[in-house]
Amino acid sequence: MKAFKWYATASAFALTLSLTVPVLAADVTIDDIVNDAKTTHDVVTNGLGTQGQRYSPLTTINKDNVQGLVPAWTISLGGEKMKGQETQPLVKDGVMYFTGSYSRAWAVDTKTGHEIWQYDHRLPEGILPCCDVINRGGSLIGNKFIFGTLDAKLVALDAKTGKVIWSKTIDDFKAGYSFSAAPLIVPTKAHGPLLLNGVSGGEFGVVGRVEARSVETGEIVWSRPVIEGHVGTLNGKPTTMTGTKNETWPGDLWKTGGGATWLGGTFDSETGLAYFGTGNPAPWNSHMRPGDNKWTCSRLAIDVETGEIKWGFQTTPNDGWDFDGVNEVVSFDADGKKLAATADRNGFFYVLDRTNGAFQGAWPFVEKITWAKEIGKDGRPVFNPENRPGNPKDSKDGKKGNSVFAVPSFLGGKNQMPMAYSPDTKLFYVPSNEWGMDIWNEPVAYKKGAAYLGAGFTIKPLFEDHIGSMKAIDPMTGKIVWQANNRAPLWGGVLTTAGGLVFYGTPEGEFKALDATSGKELYSFNTGSGIVGNPITWEENGEQFISVISGWGGAVPLWGGEVAKTVAHLNQGGMMWTFKLPKKMAAN
Ligand code: CA
Ligand code: CA
């Protein structure tokens, strides 16, 4: 009886709402996307702007009042499906859109946290995700919410209903392909808005590529393989070859060369270029592929009209440590120059001219780096040859090369968690990790759908009291202005605001706000599970909201070796949290 009464009340409430509030529906234009960084009433791109700065001009929540932040609502991702939640939500016209583990998606009322729809992608047996069943977010364009799946599909949902409008297969999941990054929507003159996607699967010898698709149909407009020797397409016809076949790759290894574009890209409307990073060369055993192995472990600037590579910059030539070069390229302006910065897995923070890729400088952002002495004036690493894992052929039985202890570990000085840039402090906020690894090479041959590494490894901490370290970096000097250490490895992204704040979460479950200038901790809230996702902020009806997803998982518990043991006690989860100030405090 009681339950019935509650139900009746809830229905009456819903009816009242539908009479007084316009129908909730996204209608996201390409201008909304291009202007996203400046508009505070919505978040319609991954990165709070296509340049990826993750900066908000909002000041309602600031250094003086952030300690009063309270939860506005939370929603569980529910079911038996937990695992890592690495997404960034989007917000438009009173609706929040986000993805979750196991290729799921939600639309939620931003006022109440109540679910509007949920989409559960039917995953086949035998998917091959390398690093947990995560998803890093979707894209809004027109009336669609579009995201990638663990069986290497793109699915466009009706933002109003969650019903499938179109679904396209990127590639064969049985060969190791999947897609978990947020697709990137860009404006073009020739084709209208295009959706850019990459591919995951570098540990299975896939070939990395960037594809541009019609947002209306999902059909491919152009494609650009990132490995030398492969040929791109435009409007269904072959265009140019990437690089020159066999220039930096021996034999046929380029055919299964890796370079997965698994973390997606950013876009700068001033240059018309999309910036995508590329993963490790396959296999990991570098002795099998003498040469630079272009364009693996690189950043590529791609003309979004044609799919041609405008410039490339390789961070780790002939990589032997799995230093994927996928980390985000964030555009910023300084000294009258159009620059971009990227914090590499290899432990160095790079600044490039984003118009032409010219190297400006690179500095270590983690301690005790062993694999390279420094980055030379030409932008190439000066290797420590004795820190390259040995060739198995040089061992007695040919089965295991010389093992070395290398820093950083293959999970990187920084990994998938995006940094932020504040034009106020002119600092980058880089979620970094201090760890190393024992690594050795073994013989390996390519086999479809099997791990193609030729390496073994064990990750180890470097310091007793911390692995994670949030670092504030001056991009003009490489100076680390402040750092805030964390016991567990950091695996979540950063948000910075004109309120002088830096927001991020920890695997221990704390959602933190630090003073952007000093690094002093001003706020910490226990979300109940580890945070490996990316916070956002927006304003609605005069109030500023901040959201972040909580749900421990990702690559660290799976691949962290001795570090994984130190985080084995952390509980899984799956809750989207939204915070605001009590009305009285916001007014003061
Ligand atoms: Ca916006
Ligand atoms: Ca890799």
Side-chain angles (χ1 to χ4, degrees), residues 16-59:
T16 314
L17 265 185
S18 67
L19 290 173
T20 54
V21 177
V23 176
L24 301 168
D27 186 15
V28 175
T29 66
I30 194 68
D31 286 343
D32 291 337
I33 288 168
V34 171
N35 297 322
D36 190 29
K38 294 180 210 117
T39 54
T40 52
H41 64 283
D42 63 13
V43 177
V44 292
T45 59
N46 184 48
L48 285 86
T50 63
Q51 289 186 325
Q53 291 189 350
R54 296 183 181 274
Y55 167 82
S56 169
L58 285 170
T59 55

Side-chain angles (χ1 to χ4, degrees), residues 37-91:
K38 294 180 210 117
T39 54
T40 52
H41 64 283
D42 63 13
V43 177
V44 292
T45 59
N46 184 48
L48 285 86
T50 63
Q51 289 186 325
Q53 291 189 350
R54 296 183 181 274
Y55 167 82
S56 169
L58 285 170
T59 55
T60 305
I61 298 167
N62 56 52
K63 290 183 193 190
D64 297 328
N65 61 20
V66 68
Q67 61 279 359
L69 218 54
V70 290
W73 53 260
T74 182
I75 180 172
S76 170
L77 275 59
E80 293 168 359
K81 294 170 172 173
M82 299 275 199
K83 300 287 188 176
Q85 309 296 350
E86 293 186 354
T87 198
Q88 182 218 291
L90 302 175
V91 167

Side-chain angles (χ1 to χ4, degrees), residues 61 70 89 92 111 193 230 302 377 445 574:
I61 298 167
V70 290
K92 177 70 174 172
K111 286 178 193 61
H230 295 269
I302 300 175
K377 289 202 163 54

Side-chain angles (χ1 to χ4, degrees), residues 203 280 322 324 345:
E203 270 56 55
N280 62 284
D322 190 36
D324 290 42
R345 286 250 287 253

